[in-house]
Every structure is written in C-alpha cells, then in structure tokens.
C-alpha cells in the first residue's frame, strides 16, 4: 500500500514463509494468473475487465464451471482414506509436472519433465505451447486443470523460446511445437510479454485485489468453511500439514498418499 515493496517481492516473501522454494518442484513458488485478456492487440491496464478475478480460485472463474465444481462437491460423500473424498478439486494449482511443463524448453527442466513423463515428451497437444490456450484450459475448458503460474512468467523471457531446438512434436492440427505462442499484445516478442505481464502484476488493479488471492492460497480461505464457501477445497491428501503420516499404519495407504502428493502437489502452509 505504501509502494515500498513490489507485488512480486511480496508474493515471493509469502511463498518463502509458506515453505515454497525453487529447490523443490513439488513446492515451487506459486504466482497468480493476473490477466484474462489474451486476445486484444493492445493491453489496457486501466480496464478492470482486462484482469482475472483474484477473489476466486481458477475453478470458479466462470459461473458455469463454478457450479460444476460445487455440484461435484455436493455429490461426493465424505470418506476417510479414499480417493473420492469430498472436495471441489482432485487436481492442484501447482505441482512438479506443472512447473516442469512451463519450463520444458530450458534445461535442466527439459530432463526433469521427461523423467516425470516416463522418459519422453508428452503428447504435443498436451504440451505448454500457448499462453492463451493454457489460460482458457485452466480458467474455463478443462475440469481437471486449475493451474496457476510460476514466478518466471514475470521476469524470464527465455523460457518462452525453444532456443535449444527440442523436437517437441506436432499437434493434431499440424502445428509444429517450437516457441510458446504469445498474446497479440506481445507482438511475438517474449521480452515485451514479460514487460507487460510484470506491469500488470504491479498495476493498481492487482495491488487493490491481490489480498483476495492471498487469502485463497496462503490464508484463511485455504480450508474449512471459508474454503467451502469460496469454492476452494482440494483433496485431503493435498493438505500436507493436516495429514499425520506417522499415525497411518498401513504402508499401502501411506505410499498412496505420498505418491498422490508427489504427483499432484500440495497446499502451502497457512501463513
């Protein structure tokens, strides 16, 4: 509020307090999608409609999608130690595979991604290839995709280009994967994309609304009745600090939980 620290620095500070680190793909720093406009020729940072609704999780960005997740929550009975526990989301907004998929064009993340995928790249249509289509998937189209962003989206243009000329495959529509497709307002320039995206993060609109997103990710809307009301509950296994693994005697259940967390990610510690 006093403009003595940037929103970027503040988010990094919160991530660190919550136990997130660049050293752990499973607990990598998580940053928000801040824009909803990936189609305009120019970016208008004074228009509220340019921005994502920071008061709602990715699963509730459209009314239709929000109702689908609420319906899912209401349909599932609570059951301990079961993969069908009552929650809105069975996938997570940050995981090792999400981090590696964003950074797949740069080493060592290329090798990390391939090892997580069983030794090769994923099917081309599922690879990160377009900022716009990734936003549409995470905010509207794909019920198993509620991913947020990583810090690199706000300072590292290199991850958007295929400088190493990796053969990432060819999509069903014939598109050969190379550099990441950028919104029209970036003019095909990764540096311009990062510049404008960082300006968006530091804009007056985001500064005025960022606390709502922080409540969802790091604050009191993480779990409990506030999370249910905010359509922001995840599978119980994602709440690492709430799961007392020492009291679980069955080694199969314990390994299932650990595998679940390593594959799908975990909720940050509440700050």
């Amino acid at each position: 509020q006093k403009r003595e620290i940037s929103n970027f620095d503040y988010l990094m500070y919160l991530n660190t307090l919550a136990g997130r680190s660049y050293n752990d793909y499973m607990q990598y720093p998580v940053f928000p999608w801040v824009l909803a406009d990936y189609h305009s020729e120019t970016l208008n940072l004074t228009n509220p409609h340019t921005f994502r609704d920071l008061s709602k999780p990715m699963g509730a960005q459209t009314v239709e999608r929000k109702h689908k997740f609420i319906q899912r929550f209401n349909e599932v009975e609570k059951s301990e130690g079961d993969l069908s526990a009552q929650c809105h989301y069975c996938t997570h907004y940050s995981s090792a595979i999400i981090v590696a998929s964003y950074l797949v064009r740069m080493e060592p993340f290329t090798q990390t991604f391939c090892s997580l995928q069983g030794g090769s790249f994923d099917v081309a249509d599922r690879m990160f290839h377009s900022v716009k289509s990734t936003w549409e998937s995470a905010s509207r189209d794909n019920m198993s995709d509620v991913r947020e962003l990583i810090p690199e989206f706000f300072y590292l243009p290199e991850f958007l280009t295929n400088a190493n000329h990796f053969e990432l495959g060819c999509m069903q529509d014939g598109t050969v994967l190379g550099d990441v497709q950028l919104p029209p307002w970036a003019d095909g320039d990764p540096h311009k994309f990062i510049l404008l995206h960082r300006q968006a993060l530091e804009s007056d609109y985001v500064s005025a609304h960022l606390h709502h997103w922080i409540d969802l990710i790091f604050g009191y809307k993480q779990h409990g009745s506030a999370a249910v009301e905010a359509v922001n509950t995840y599978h119980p296994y994602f709440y690492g600090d709430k799961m007392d693994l020492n009291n679980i005697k069955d080694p199969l259940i314990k390994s299932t939980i650990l595998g679940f967390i390593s594959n799908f990610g975990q909720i940050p510690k509440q700050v």
Side-chain angles (χ1 to χ4, degrees):
Q1 289 179 334
K2 294 179 180 176
R3 295 292 190 268
E4 290 175 4
I5 186 173
S6 68
N7 289 335
F8 183 92
D9 288 338
Y10 184 47
L11 287 171
M12 282 305 301
Y13 182 67
L14 288 176
N15 269 286
T16 304
L17 283 179
R20 314 293 286 191
S21 165
Y22 282 120
N23 299 322
D24 186 349
Y25 292 148
M26 288 184 286
Q27 296 193 82
Y28 208 75
V30 55
F31 268 58
W33 287 95
V34 292
L35 294 172
D37 182 355
Y38 298 96
H39 55 267
S40 298
E41 293 295 327
T42 55
L43 197 58
N44 182 359
L45 296 180
T46 61
N47 182 356
H49 295 295
T50 298
F51 297 91
R52 164 257 181 104
D53 186 343
L54 287 159
S55 69
K56 296 182 175 69
M58 290 303 291
Q61 289 297 306
T62 68
V63 175
E64 182 188 4
R65 186 165 143 108
K66 176 183 174 182
H67 287 319
K68 282 183 182 173
F69 280 119
I70 291 173
Q71 185 181 358
R72 173 195 279 176
F73 181 89
N74 292 334
E75 284 173 354
V76 180
E77 291 296 317
K78 287 183 180 176
S79 51
E80 282 298 315
D82 187 352
L83 294 183
S84 61
Q86 188 175 39
C87 61
H88 293 109
Y89 315 114
C90 295
T91 55
H92 199 249
Y93 49 76
S94 176
S95 67
I97 196 68
I98 289 172
V99 172
S101 69
Y102 280 144
L103 300 172
V104 69
R105 289 162 178 80
M106 294 170 52
E107 290 290 15
F109 303 99
T110 313
Q111 295 305 315
T112 301
F113 181 83
C114 288
S115 65
L116 289 170
Q117 280 295 127
S120 61
F121 291 120
D122 199 358
V123 175
D125 286 82
R126 289 203 299 257
M127 296 280 285
F128 171 53
H129 68 278
S130 158
V131 178
K132 178 174 180 280
S133 65
T134 303
W135 159 255
E136 289 171 349
S137 171
S139 66
R140 187 187 73 200
D141 297 340
N142 187 345
M143 289 291 284
S144 62
D145 183 3
V146 291
R147 74 185 65 189
E148 292 280 6
L149 299 182
I150 53 176
E152 284 81 354
F153 272 85
F154 300 94
Y155 68 83
L156 190 71
E158 286 77 13
F159 87 96
L160 298 164
T161 60
N162 187 19
N164 293 315
H165 305 294
F166 291 120
E167 293 185 10
L168 302 171
C170 183
M171 295 171 65
Q172 287 183 342
D173 63 5
T175 305
V176 177
L177 262 58
D179 296 346
V180 175
Q181 294 171 11
L182 302 175
W185 44 260
D187 297 326
D189 182 352
H191 288 84
K192 185 172 182 181
F193 172 82
I194 295 293
L195 176 69
L196 292 174
H197 205 215
R198 183 65 173 265
Q199 285 177 1
L201 178 65
E202 305 299 342
S203 66
D204 289 340
Y205 179 89
V206 172
S207 295
H209 295 86
L210 188 58
H211 63 285
H212 295 304
W213 184 82
I214 290 167
D215 287 340
L216 294 169
I217 307 298
F218 301 108
Y220 77 105
K221 290 183 181 177
Q222 264 192 359
H223 51 80
S225 58
V228 174
E229 198 176 319
V231 194
N232 192 45
T233 66
Y234 296 81
H235 193 282
Y237 291 172
F238 294 146
Y239 297 88
D241 56 344
K242 301 282 183 291
M243 298 293 301
D244 189 358
L245 291 173
N246 295 324
N247 285 336
I248 298 173
K249 300 291 181 264
D250 188 326
L252 187 61
I253 293 177
K254 187 181 256 188
S255 67
T256 300
I257 294 172
L258 289 171
F260 205 79
I261 292 168
S262 65
N263 280 323
F264 295 107
Q266 57 187 308
I267 304 288
K269 287 183 188 138
Q270 186 175 345
V271 177

